[in-house]
Structure formats: C-alpha cells, structure tokens
Amino acid sequence: MDGAPWSFRNHPLILRRLESGDIPHEVLLNHIIFWVQVFNFPLGGFKEQVGMMLVNFIGHFLEYDKMNKDVVWRPYMRIRVEVGVSLPLKHWKNIKLGNQINLLVTEEEGDWRITGFYGYPERARRRLCWGLLRQIAGSNDLFWVCIWDFNDLLVDDEKRGRVPHPNWILQGFRQAVLDCKLTDLLLEAYKFTWSWGLHDIEEERLDRAMQNPGWLVRFP
C-alpha cells in the first residue's frame, strides 16, 4: 500500500489492500514492506539496476528511490522491498575493499557471497584491478557472484568502434577471470552497456555478472 511501511507504537503493521472478491478473514498477511539502505557504495554505483541485484535476495524489489541520484550528500542507496514474514531475515556483513563491496549473505541453506566490483577506468591501474579480483577470489570458498562495472572486455566483439581495444588488456582481464574460476551469467539484453559519441558512436560491454562453479548449483 502507498506509504508503507506502517507502524503503531514502534511495532510494524502488516496491511494489504482488499481486492474485489476477497474474503477478509481468509486474506493472508504474510508480507511486509521495508525501505532498505545500502551504505558505503561508490557514488558511480548509485544505479537502479545495481540496487535491484543487491536487494532481490532479501525479497521482492518494489521501488528505487529517485532521490538516490539527486541528493549528492546522501551516503546510501534507498530501495523499497517486500519481505516474507514467515522466512528468517537475511543478514549482510559489509566488507569494503578499495572500489569493491563484498556482501556475505547468511541463510539457513548456507552462506554465499555477492561482490559489487568497480574496475578503475585508467589503463595504468588495470593490473591493480585484476589483482584485487584475484585477492577476493582467493579468500572465498563460498558460492559467489561478482557483478557491476568491470571497465574491461573479455573479447574483441564486446566493443564496436574505430579504435580497437588493446590486446594486452583483453588478455590480462581474461587471465584474471580464468584464475578466479569465473564465467559469465547469461545476458538477456542489448549487448553493449556503455556508449559514447554522437556520430562515430563507440559502444562497449563494461558491465557484467559472473559466477563461480558452485553458484548455478546453489541457484539453478
């Protein structure tokens, strides 16, 4: 309902709008709506798509607060999510590492990890990014998915434009991904995620989601 979440004397109220034909005493009140705040995220990552991926494991994504982009001093993303009250709340452990955010998710079925990875755009710092990715992978023995803006390409056809991508960068990023035992999740969208220019347009696939071998077993 509009305006949720509601509370009375600091206790949450679970409300549901009745639809035509509903029998009131048979309506299930088993979901509650919260505003979730995601802290310590780089300003460049304040995007609705990133917010959706971060909160969908808590419950059902409902709304992205448009003020996230307009209020420059806000230190968090604010996202509205619907949560089932019959299930235990999931806990986040936030670990900040450079331009990366690591979230350890604790569930009854077992722990898993999601990483929001932002690759440095400067070519001189590419090897540093690849080292950070290997460092995260080396400290992880859980089901793992790594998402966001890597600022890197795996193959030539992930770029369209006049200037080819340097081969040493393609090879370096590919090797880092192989060392981390990561593979791409299926992309069901337009191939390129970044573009620049008005006439001679350049397009690249800089954003992606990758998983380790156990991820699809845990989340088929």
Side-chain angles (χ1 to χ4, degrees):
M1 298 178 67
D2 295 341
W6 299 95
S7 64
F8 178 72
R9 293 184 178 177
N10 293 324
H11 294 284
L13 291 177
I14 301 178
L15 305 175
R16 175 179 162 183
R17 193 187 306 276
L18 293 176
E19 305 292 342
S20 177
D22 282 346
I23 301 174
H25 69 272
E26 294 182 358
V27 172
L28 296 178
L29 299 176
N30 54 6
H31 287 82
I32 190 169
I33 295 173
F34 289 112
W35 279 102
V36 174
Q37 296 178 353
V38 181
F39 283 86
N40 296 327
F41 217 72
L43 289 177
F46 279 34
K47 301 178 182 179
E48 184 170 351
Q49 297 91 332
V50 175
M52 289 176 65
M53 288 187 284
L54 289 176
V55 302
N56 263 337
F57 73 90
I58 300 176
H60 176 63
F61 172 85
L62 294 177
E63 181 183 354
Y64 179 82
D65 188 354
K66 302 303 181 184
M67 295 293 288
N68 291 332
K69 295 187 296 184
D70 297 335
V71 182
V72 296
W73 46 263
R74 177 181 282 181
Y76 57 83
M77 280 194 294
R78 190 166 175 261
I79 306 160
R80 200 164 178 236
V81 60
E82 184 181 62
V83 179
V85 297
S86 61
L87 300 174
L89 285 175
K90 301 181 176 80
H91 304 285
W92 295 19
K93 182 178 180 181
N94 193 345
I95 307 169
K96 189 173 182 182
L97 176 62
N99 277 17
Q100 293 75 45
I101 298 294
N102 287 300
L103 302 175
L104 176 65
V105 183
T106 301
E107 297 184 291
E108 289 184 352
E109 298 85 354
D111 296 348
W112 55 276
R113 174 177 286 184
I114 179 171
T115 299
F117 190 95
Y118 179 73
Y120 297 116
E122 302 89 357
R123 290 181 177 177
R125 306 177 76 186
R126 286 293 205 276
R127 291 185 175 88
L128 176 60
C129 279
W130 304 334
L132 289 173
L133 191 61
R134 291 185 177 99
Q135 181 179 343
I136 297 170
S139 63
N140 174 65
D141 58 358
L142 302 173
F143 307 120
W144 179 38
V145 63
C146 190
I147 64 172
W148 202 22
D149 184 354
F150 290 82
N151 269 316
D152 260 319
L153 310 179
L154 284 172
V155 291
D156 283 323
D157 65 2
E158 290 182 346
K159 176 171 183 174
R160 183 168 68 182
R162 293 184 301 173
V163 182
H165 207 64
N167 193 52
W168 71 270
I169 296 181
L170 291 173
Q171 292 180 348
F173 184 48
R174 272 200 305 267
Q175 189 60 53
V177 170
L178 286 172
D179 292 345
C180 296
K181 298 183 172 64
L182 291 171
T183 56
D184 267 327
L185 283 168
L186 179 64
L187 175 66
E188 295 183 353
Y190 186 62
K191 180 177 181 178
F192 302 105
T193 62
W194 174 89
S195 64
W196 181 85
L198 295 177
H199 302 291
D200 295 324
I201 297 176
E202 292 196 9
E203 294 182 302
E204 297 180 354
R205 183 188 176 187
L206 301 181
D207 302 83
R208 62 195 333 121
M210 298 186 287
Q211 84 270 323
N212 69 355
W215 177 261
L216 288 179
V217 177
R218 174 68 173 81
F219 300 99

